[in-house]
Amino acid sequence: MEKNPLVSIIVPVFNEEKNIKKNIESLINQDYDNIEIIIVNDKSTDESIKIANRYIEKNPNIKIINNEKNKGASYSRNKGLDIAKGKYIIFIDGDDYAEKELISTLVKTAEEEKLDLVQVNYIKEEIDKSVLQKHFKVKKDVYKGKEDILENISALISNNRNSDQFFSLIRSVAGKIFKRNIIEKKEKLRFKEDLVLSENLIFTMEYMLRAKKIKYLEKYLIHFKKDEASLRESYIPKIEKEAKNSIKYMRKLIRETKIELELSKNEKKKIDEDFAYFVFERVFLVYKHKINRVEEGLDEKSKKRNLLEFINKNNLYKYIKKIDRKKLDEEYQKFLKYIKNSVFLRKFRII
């Protein structure tokens, strides 16, 4: 066990002048001091980096990289990975902040138990309150071996609809500690820069395929703050392309999972069912955030026509047919019924 391994903390920042001070101070005040903080400035137009620069003189372990153009969080995290030197990697966004024992807890657990991935719960910071976000129930001390890793991957893909191991396994990279040698071995793992919603999920799943031992700690050690309205506005124009690309990457990962874990016939069937839920989620997002938006001004007939066009064009109905309605929440059940009862679906004899 290494006593005090270096940890690289990668912080993508874009226009976070209201949050960056709290973010940086939560990192430099950790009770674990062998860290390097890599701040990647994604062409901010506010005072974010001016504020960050104030900390460099007294904290030489802080590095700032400046992107020439605004390229997004995935590109920024990848730039950080390219220069990271730590044994371990932690990702934290510029608007989030950590409890002082976050890093020491993650490192101590990973080192003592020889783990490849450790995750904690987080606290969601809303306008007027802090909400504890519990994302898993621990049934085992450590998850290891083919069956356990497959169970984790299944929960990630289907958002827990085919698993009773987790409440809702967090798909974000926040609150996790990764081993850099696993990220860098063979083909280097990097975030998909053409994704804006699913990049964390795809990266985490790729990493899990390489991991052997995973642990979840029921501790709340990271504060998660997101401007949901701003986030939606940034991805809505790209939502259809995002859905197609994320399905493409996930389909490739499903194939790799079947090979890497040498899945049985029944295991292959189950992971195909997981993929069906993933596809359904993406179709729902396209409908909700593009087709059904008030701003689009579409009548019901046009909405159905556009929805059907997206499903047909990408050959997705074969996956939607596999969905077990009982495993969906009420909103998704209504959407599944909407698809199946669509005049256009019947007209084109898809159902």
Side-chain angles (χ1 to χ4, degrees), residues 3 11 60 71 116 120 172 184 254 272 314 328:
K3 187 176 180 181
V11 188
K71 303 280 279 186
D116 296 326
V120 295
S172 171
E184 298 297 319
I254 295 291
D272 285 339
N314 296 285
L328 300 175

Side-chain angles (χ1 to χ4, degrees), residues 121 133-138 155 159-161 163-170 218 220:
N121 278 305
Q133 297 283 306
K134 187 168 184 177
H135 284 277
F136 43 81
K137 52 185 176 184
V138 177
N159 208 8
N160 203 50
R161 292 188 182 88
S163 170
D164 62 356
Q165 297 285 324
F166 311 94
F167 287 129
S168 176
L169 182 69
I170 188 171
E218 295 192 79
Y220 298 86

Side-chain angles (χ1 to χ4, degrees), residues 116-119 143 145-146 148-157 166 169-172 176 178 182-183 189 200-216 253 257 260-261:
D116 296 326
L117 178 68
V118 185
Q119 177 172 340
Y143 292 84
K146 171 188 164 182
D148 282 355
I149 297 300
L150 182 59
E151 186 68 30
N152 278 266
I153 288 173
S154 173
L156 276 170
I157 302 168
F166 311 94
L169 182 69
I170 188 171
R171 290 170 163 184
S172 171
K176 292 180 172 72
F178 301 86
I182 291 179
I183 291 174
L189 291 186
N200 287 340
L201 166 61
I202 299 297
F203 181 90
T204 301
M205 186 174 162
E206 286 180 324
Y207 184 89
M208 279 188 173
L209 274 176
R210 300 180 176 192
K212 298 188 185 305
K213 292 177 72 177
I214 298 169
K215 184 163 187 172
Y216 301 95
L253 273 170
T257 300
E260 290 288 328
L261 299 183

Side-chain angles (χ1 to χ4, degrees), residues 18-58:
K18 295 179 181 178
N19 303 302
I20 193 65
K21 182 175 183 290
K22 193 164 191 174
N23 172 287
I24 293 173
E25 290 185 357
S26 78
L27 298 178
I28 61 177
N29 292 320
Q30 288 287 304
D31 61 11
Y32 186 94
D33 59 7
N34 193 17
I35 62 174
E36 62 170 359
I37 301 170
I38 303 170
I39 296 173
V40 187
N41 172 29
D42 195 22
K43 201 67 175 176
S44 295
T45 56
D46 65 359
E47 299 291 302
S48 299
I49 301 309
K50 184 177 180 181
I51 295 168
N53 274 312
R54 295 174 191 158
Y55 292 91
I56 290 181
E57 186 177 343
K58 292 183 179 179

Side-chain angles (χ1 to χ4, degrees), residues 262-274:
E262 298 178 344
L263 301 189
S264 67
K265 185 176 180 180
N266 286 338
E267 288 169 336
K268 288 178 181 178
K269 181 181 178 182
K270 183 175 184 297
I271 205 167
D272 285 339
E273 290 172 358
D274 297 331

